[in-house]
Amino acid sequence: MNLTQRGLSFYKTLGRRRRRRIPNRLLNNFEYYRVSIQEISSFSILVPLAIAGTKLRTGDLKLRLFFLFLLFGAVVDGIGFASYKANEIWKIHGYLLAFYLVYEAFFFLWIASFNFELGIRTRIRNSIGVVFILLFLTKFYFDFFEGNILYSSIIQMFILIVISFILGFSLLRMAEQRDDILSYPWFWILAGIFLYSFGTFFIDALLYSQIIDRIWYTRNIINIIQYGFFVVGLLLLPRSPRA
């Protein structure tokens, strides 16, 4: 296996764990239940995607980029499922998953900083954006050339920690600015992203540890709850770009 193949193998394995990981041992009732949760987690993204699609024409830039984020995730999930039926397309899934992680990080950074004042927002996006670029270049070097999945997982965990930190401050600022925060659509969407980032970074860090099989199902539960938050926020969005 050459270095590029070794790097793609990492994303193949990551994709399997992210989407639908089949245990090696014989399935008992608990294992069957866990696989079902993973399938529900993957297909749940279609619900907020469909709702966002119905409001896309009158939506603002935030909604359109959010729709693209959901669509990108759904495509990666779909190809991930197809890769189990046809082994020859797993490389495509590996490349797409790598690009998806980059888009996810920068979209989260962009939308998390949207609630800050213009000067602070610009500094956050520019400074942390440069750091993210350097981190992803380092991460892909470890993935595709060194094959060091430990350092790659640590970098991904750090990115999610940074996003969680910014999102936490953004939600606090939002709570200070609005009395009707529970009726504000983007509170629910940002809260869902915060739940995902804060709730899964430590799971992703343990991706290749011995205990990952015992805790991976919690990531799928967090995904389902996240999509539930997205649905609430999208349903609260008016059919005009004022929100």
Side-chain angles (χ1 to χ4, degrees):
M1 178 181 294
N2 60 37
L3 294 176
T4 301
Q5 289 175 327
R6 181 166 48 181
L8 284 171
S9 179
F10 163 77
Y11 284 101
K12 179 184 180 183
T13 306
L14 176 61
R16 290 190 174 189
R17 290 186 184 273
R18 285 172 66 94
R19 308 305 170 194
R20 187 175 184 271
R21 186 178 185 280
I22 305 297
N24 292 326
R25 54 186 178 274
L26 293 176
L27 296 178
N28 53 29
N29 290 336
F30 173 75
E31 294 294 340
Y32 177 79
Y33 172 77
R34 188 173 67 173
V35 170
S36 299
I37 287 293
Q38 290 170 341
E39 292 174 345
I40 293 171
S41 173
S42 293
F43 284 106
S44 294
I45 196 173
L46 298 178
V47 179
L49 177 63
I51 298 174
T54 63
K55 301 188 177 185
L56 194 58
R57 176 181 293 183
T58 57
D60 59 2
L61 181 61
K62 285 190 296 184
L63 180 59
R64 293 178 182 183
L65 291 178
F66 181 63
F67 174 81
L68 182 59
F69 159 71
L70 293 174
L71 180 62
F72 200 170
V75 170
V76 171
D77 278 356
I79 295 179
F81 273 108
S83 67
Y84 296 103
K85 303 297 182 180
N87 263 341
E88 62 271 14
I89 68 171
W90 70 263
K91 290 184 179 180
I92 300 175
H93 181 241
Y95 283 124
L96 278 178
L97 182 55
F99 282 114
Y100 172 75
L101 291 176
V102 175
Y103 180 81
E104 177 187 75
F106 280 95
F107 172 71
F108 285 177
L109 173 63
W110 181 83
I111 200 169
S113 58
F114 206 89
N115 199 44
F116 294 103
E117 297 176 357
L118 180 59
I120 299 175
R121 184 193 316 163
T122 302
R123 287 194 294 270
I124 289 175
R125 290 176 179 175
N126 290 342
S127 58
I128 298 181
V130 170
V131 172
F132 277 8
I133 291 174
L134 295 175
L135 286 175
F136 273 114
L137 289 175
T138 305
K139 173 180 167 58
F140 293 150
Y141 171 77
F142 285 128
D143 291 340
F144 293 105
F145 295 99
E146 291 291 331
N148 193 318
I149 56 179
L150 175 61
Y151 289 154
S152 177
S153 298
I154 292 174
I155 291 173
Q156 185 66 30
M157 178 187 67
F158 179 76
I159 291 172
L160 289 175
I161 290 174
V162 172
I163 292 171
S164 301
F165 185 77
I166 299 173
L167 277 167
F169 275 101
S170 182
L171 289 170
L172 287 175
R173 182 176 175 81
M174 191 181 297
E176 294 174 352
Q177 294 174 335
R178 293 179 172 271
D179 295 328
D180 58 340
I181 189 171
L182 293 181
S183 62
Y184 182 53
W186 289 101
F187 163 76
W188 291 97
I189 293 174
L190 288 181
I193 296 174
F194 174 78
L195 174 68
Y196 166 81
S197 301
F198 186 78
T200 63
F201 75 81
F202 70 94
I203 299 177
D204 287 350
L206 298 173
L207 188 63
Y208 288 89
S209 68
Q210 294 181 349
I211 66 171
I212 190 63
D213 285 336
R214 298 197 295 270
I215 66 173
W216 185 256
Y217 74 96
T218 60
R219 195 184 198 284
N220 298 295
I221 294 175
I222 292 172
N223 263 340
I224 295 171
I225 298 174
Q226 173 196 214
Y227 296 143
F229 276 43
F230 290 170
V231 168
V232 174
L234 290 167
L235 291 176
L236 289 172
L237 274 175
R239 293 191 176 275
S240 67
R242 291 177 300 173

